[in-house]
Amino acid sequence: MTVKKRAALIICGIIIFSLAAPAAIFFARGYYFDFSTRRIVQTGTLAVKTDPRGASVSLNGAKLKDATPIAVRFLTPGEYELTIQKQGYQSWKKTVNIRGRFVTYVPSGDRGKIFLLTDAPQAATLATNTREVLMKDGGVFALAENKIYEYDPANGSHTLLTATSTLATAQNLFDEKPDQSGSPTFLIGDKDHLEYLDSTKILDLSANFSKAQFWVGNSVLILTGKKQLEQFDLATGQTQIIGQNVLDFTVQVDSLGYLARSAQNSNNVELLQLSSNGQTKTVIANLPHFSQSQIIRAPTGQLFLLLDKDLYQVGDNLNKINSQVTYVRWDSELPGLVYGNFHEAWIYSTDKIENQLVTRSSENLGPAWYTKKTGYVFVVVGQTLDAIEVDPAGQSNVYPLAKVQNSDTQFSVSSAGDTIIYLDGVNLKSLKIR
């Protein structure tokens, strides 16, 4: 080989290397040349995790080779139709936006995974002839015939708590609280008759009342038909009046919040707080006029008011959250409120101080239930129990789970979001959805 040819080869090699090396570096960093626009474009990455793992992923209809968890690199910026499928589970679909230089995580936020729901939920009947259920602090208590059972929403297991013929006429479970031994105690009866029940005795408490709850120590708070708030001592049987002209109340950890007409002006309604040591303070001195009310408490002591259909957060003043509200429930997992009306379901996060519309329907909606782990809100739409994915972008996947008799069906969802216990007519049922 001549010197000239050798030099030419070296020069060609240098030129090729000079061109290829930057191209390789650009490509490694996610850049590519878009011949249609004649521009250098930086690509993005899509990362997808699911529970369970091993789901197939398709982008714009093209199935990818690898299953979840998966990271797809070198995607040109733009919108993609993402479909996730796994045998035995319902499909998950969404439009995702890939941006250059960024990793797009699906799902977004702090959930971490897409929780797939089974395409054949497993239903089982837990009890028949059920007259009432009480869903409290993650537990489900059912009054069936003359027995009270406790059900675990996580696995559908149940425990017989008490059985006595005296429960034969009871129609309601008003409240539950463990006693000093840890055994559950109950306030039961019907709308005109209230009894205390534990494993050893039954006490007659009231024959005319509108609300009852356990309070601190060995006592019960009873709002009578005469609008008196009474404290009943279960040990001594003595009754003490602690509030007059009371419209509603709620028990907090170590205090009591209640609404009462002002002693100075009966047209004014005050929000008061009574501590367990007997000290009373005025929280809000003059509330807006209302006909119906509900007080909602957070475990932290934060109070919320539903006055007619207006929902407020209580601070130094009333801060309005929303209007046209017919039900509201505190959810510790948010933390915040799950609320709505016959046609809308909302969640309100106290951490983020924001409202989010979950769904809107022309059919009647029942009260909703939220599970933070899975990111689903469960609600009865018409006569179908649905799981609706919470998505701030408005691309919620909606999955029908079961047919029920009424839109106001009572139900509870396990914190893992895999089991639902619901009262369908007089039948208490469980539904395994994951």
Side-chain angles (χ1 to χ4, degrees):
M1 182 180 292
T2 64
V3 174
K4 286 185 177 181
K5 288 183 177 180
R6 191 175 296 158
L9 288 173
I10 292 173
I11 291 172
C12 288
I14 292 173
I15 293 173
I16 292 171
F17 178 80
S18 299
L19 294 174
I25 294 172
F26 265 58
F27 182 76
R29 293 194 174 188
Y31 290 92
Y32 88 106
F33 185 78
D34 188 342
F35 289 95
S36 63
T37 61
R38 296 182 181 181
R39 292 188 301 113
I40 294 175
V41 178
Q42 191 164 21
T43 60
T45 299
L46 173 67
V48 182
K49 291 183 179 180
T50 63
D51 186 340
R53 299 160 61 102
S56 65
V57 178
S58 299
L59 289 177
N60 293 338
K63 185 177 179 180
L64 304 182
K65 182 178 69 173
D66 296 327
T68 59
I70 187 174
V72 188
R73 301 182 63 195
F74 308 123
L75 293 173
T76 58
E79 289 189 345
Y80 291 80
E81 292 297 324
L82 172 63
T83 303
I84 297 172
Q85 295 175 305
K86 186 176 177 65
Q87 186 174 3
Y89 293 85
Q90 303 205 51
S91 297
W92 186 98
K93 297 180 180 180
K94 194 160 293 188
T95 300
V96 295
N97 186 35
I98 302 298
R99 295 186 297 161
R101 299 188 302 134
F102 288 92
V103 178
T104 299
Y105 292 95
V106 179
S108 59
D110 57 1
R111 195 173 359 133
K113 299 177 183 178
I114 298 167
F115 289 85
L116 303 177
L117 303 183
T118 178
D119 58 8
Q122 299 176 6
T125 299
L126 304 177
T128 58
N129 298 320
T130 305
R131 295 199 296 272
E132 172 77 323
V133 291
L134 173 66
M135 298 176 179
K136 181 181 179 183
D137 300 332
V140 178
F141 303 92
L143 178 61
E145 296 180 340
N146 64 333
K147 302 177 179 67
I148 297 179
Y149 296 91
E150 180 178 9
Y151 293 87
D152 184 353
N155 54 31
S157 63
H158 68 277
T159 304
L160 176 63
L161 299 179
T162 184
T164 170
S165 59
T166 59
L167 295 179
T169 60
Q171 296 293 324
N172 301 102
L173 289 173
F174 297 106
D175 202 4
E176 177 276 335
K177 178 183 178 182
D179 61 16
Q180 294 180 349
S181 68
S183 299
T185 59
F186 296 94
L187 298 177
I188 66 168
D190 53 36
K191 63 179 182 179
D192 297 318
H193 188 65
L194 179 66
E195 292 179 340
Y196 164 85
L197 171 70
D198 63 22
S199 58
T200 62
K201 63 180 179 296
I202 295 177
L203 295 177
D204 232 342
L205 302 186
S206 178
N208 184 10
F209 74 104
S210 58
K211 189 173 182 178
Q213 279 185 271
F214 286 106
W215 199 32
V216 293
N218 197 28
S219 63
V220 176
L221 292 177
I222 302 171
L223 182 57
T224 71
K226 296 180 180 180
K227 303 301 181 183
Q228 292 182 161
L229 187 58
E230 299 179 353
Q231 181 179 352
F232 185 94
D233 190 310
L234 295 168
T236 64
Q238 295 182 342
T239 300
Q240 176 186 359
I241 298 174
I242 59 176
Q244 299 278 7
N245 297 315
V246 176
L247 305 178
D248 194 13
F249 74 92
T250 187
V251 172
Q252 298 172 264
V253 176
D254 56 357
S255 62
L256 165 70
Y258 66 100
L259 300 173
R261 295 196 181 278
S262 170
Q264 288 73 34
N265 184 352
S266 61
N267 292 323
N268 288 346
V269 177
E270 302 172 318
L271 174 60
L272 304 168
Q273 193 168 45
L274 174 66
S275 64
S276 56
N277 61 11
Q279 299 296 314
T280 302
K281 72 172 184 178
T282 301
V283 181
I284 302 290
N286 191 4
L287 293 172
H289 176 75
F290 61 88
S291 300
Q292 295 181 323
S293 63
Q294 181 185 350
I295 306 178
I296 305 94
R297 67 173 176 86
T300 57
Q302 174 69 63
L303 290 176
F304 303 85
L305 293 178
L306 180 59
L307 304 180
D308 290 332
K309 294 184 179 182
D310 293 327
L311 179 60
Y312 299 91
Q313 182 169 343
V314 178
D316 293 335
N317 298 295
L318 290 182
N319 302 307
K320 194 171 184 178
I321 296 174
N322 215 331
S323 300
Q324 299 304 312
V325 179
T326 57
Y327 74 88
V328 58
R329 182 179 64 84
W330 173 260
D331 190 301
S332 296
E333 291 190 2
L334 265 170
L337 303 175
V338 179
Y339 71 93
N341 53 46
F342 294 118
H343 299 289
E344 294 179 344
W346 294 76
I347 57 176
Y348 173 73
S349 169
T350 53
D351 281 352
K352 300 178 181 179
I353 316 297
E354 65 180 14
N355 269 315
Q356 184 174 339
L357 176 66
V358 176
T359 189
R360 180 180 284 122
S361 175
S362 59
E363 295 186 87
N364 280 352
L365 299 180
W369 194 286
Y370 174 72
T371 57
K372 184 176 182 179
K373 180 177 180 179
T374 62
Y376 288 103
V377 161
F378 300 88
V379 62
V380 176
V381 182
Q383 291 182 299
T384 303
L385 177 58
D386 284 349
I388 302 175
E389 181 190 18
V390 176
D391 182 4
Q395 297 186 71
S396 299
N397 284 281
V398 180
Y399 304 107
L401 302 176
K403 287 291 185 182
V404 296
Q405 295 185 29
N406 304 301
S407 61
D408 59 352
T409 295
Q410 292 178 273
F411 65 94
S412 176
V413 185
S414 65
S415 58
D418 57 2
T419 305
I420 303 173
I421 292 182
Y422 62 102
L423 183 60
D424 192 23
V426 297
N427 296 315
L428 188 65
K429 299 180 179 180
S430 69
L431 193 67
K432 193 74 172 177
I433 61 174
R434 289 187 46 235

